[in-house]
Amino acid sequence: MTNRLALFDCDGTLVDSQHNICMAMDQAFEAVKLAPPARHRTLSVVGLSLPEAMAVLLPEAEADFHLHIAAQYKLVFQAMRGQGVVHEPLFAGIAELVERLDCAGWMLGVATGKSDRGLNLCLTHHGLIERFVTLQTADRHPSKPHPSMIEQAMADAGAVPETTAMIGDTSFDMKMAVNAGARALGVGWGYHPPEDLIAAGAQSVAVDADELYRHIGGHD
């Protein structure tokens, strides 16, 4: 029997981390003597791996500089964690949704632009890490929308594209799902507008966790 896999993005889907991301981006740009991008531009690249995000924000810069400012971002974020100012609250209903899906027999996973360390700290803080059978991050894969993260997650969970749902808040998540042949399910509480998710291939966009449960097809 092939397992059913519900694969979640993290930032903007499971947790609201926009304040941290924007603060770190501002400080990373300031560290290299550049004016920080507008908040909406920073949020538009959430979900991409850091070098790819920097390439979108600084299209005229060289690839080496994209890597340099990505490294600055990581340093800033590590400092923020050390100072205890990183705050990544779960969105309303997410803890309950994860429990319901787990109890209904779904395999659960995460596919995120976060680092391994960042994802583990986040999920451990919220007491959710044991619920997930596969954790895929930017440390070990090409950036979204490449399907690599979904492909590895399916292999880990014993799932196939037809039994896999990718759940996310950005067009990158939806395109990744399409590229992997999985279902693309959007959430309306994240960082890209619903119309962008639909345009990128989302089959639906949930307004809250209860509606998302129905879209996934969970059954208590």
Side-chain angles (χ1 to χ4, degrees):
M1 178 179 174
T2 303
N3 289 323
R4 298 174 299 167
L5 172 63
L7 191 59
F8 291 87
D9 170 54
C10 188
D11 296 312
T13 302
L14 296 176
V15 300
D16 188 1
S17 47
Q18 62 179 300
H19 176 71
N20 309 319
I21 292 168
C22 291
M23 181 186 298
M25 191 69 76
D26 288 354
Q27 292 185 26
F29 270 66
E30 289 164 358
V32 296
K33 312 299 183 187
L34 290 177
R39 186 181 185 88
H40 74 275
R41 293 200 66 221
T42 293
L43 293 178
S44 75
V45 299
V46 173
L48 294 176
S49 298
L50 280 173
E52 285 74 14
M54 299 309 178
V56 173
L57 295 174
L58 296 168
E60 303 303 319
E62 299 290 335
D64 285 349
F65 189 76
H66 296 150
L67 293 173
H68 175 62
I69 196 168
Q72 289 294 322
Y73 179 97
K74 289 182 179 180
L75 289 173
V76 168
F77 214 98
Q78 290 168 7
M80 288 168 55
R81 284 199 184 278
Q83 295 159 9
V85 298
V86 171
H87 185 49
E88 298 174 312
L90 291 172
F91 285 104
I94 289 297
E96 295 81 4
L97 171 67
V98 168
E99 181 176 4
R100 288 175 75 186
L101 288 169
D102 193 7
C103 291
W106 283 79
M107 299 290 105
L108 303 177
V110 177
T112 177
K114 278 185 178 297
S115 66
D116 286 333
R117 180 173 183 270
L119 179 60
N120 275 274
L121 286 169
C122 178
L123 295 180
T124 299
H125 172 75
H126 291 296
L128 293 178
I129 196 163
E130 298 301 326
R131 298 281 189 179
F132 295 96
V133 301
T134 181
L135 301 175
Q136 305 304 321
T137 77
D139 285 348
R140 289 169 284 113
H141 294 280
S143 178
K144 299 174 183 181
H146 192 284
S148 175
M149 283 195 269
I150 295 181
E151 291 167 349
Q152 185 59 55
M154 290 189 297
D156 290 350
V160 295
E162 293 77 15
T163 62
T164 298
M166 177 66 213
I167 301 125
D169 70 300
T170 73
S171 57
F172 314 124
D173 298 313
M174 301 301 97
K175 290 175 181 176
M176 180 172 67
V178 171
N179 290 340
R183 280 197 294 154
L185 302 180
V187 302
W189 53 79
Y191 307 147
H192 285 193
E195 56 267 26
D196 287 1
L197 304 185
I198 296 295
Q203 296 175 15
S204 62
V205 179
V207 298
D208 57 30
D210 284 339
E211 185 175 46
L212 177 56
Y213 184 76
R214 295 193 295 273
H215 289 177
I216 294 169
H219 300 288
D220 291 317

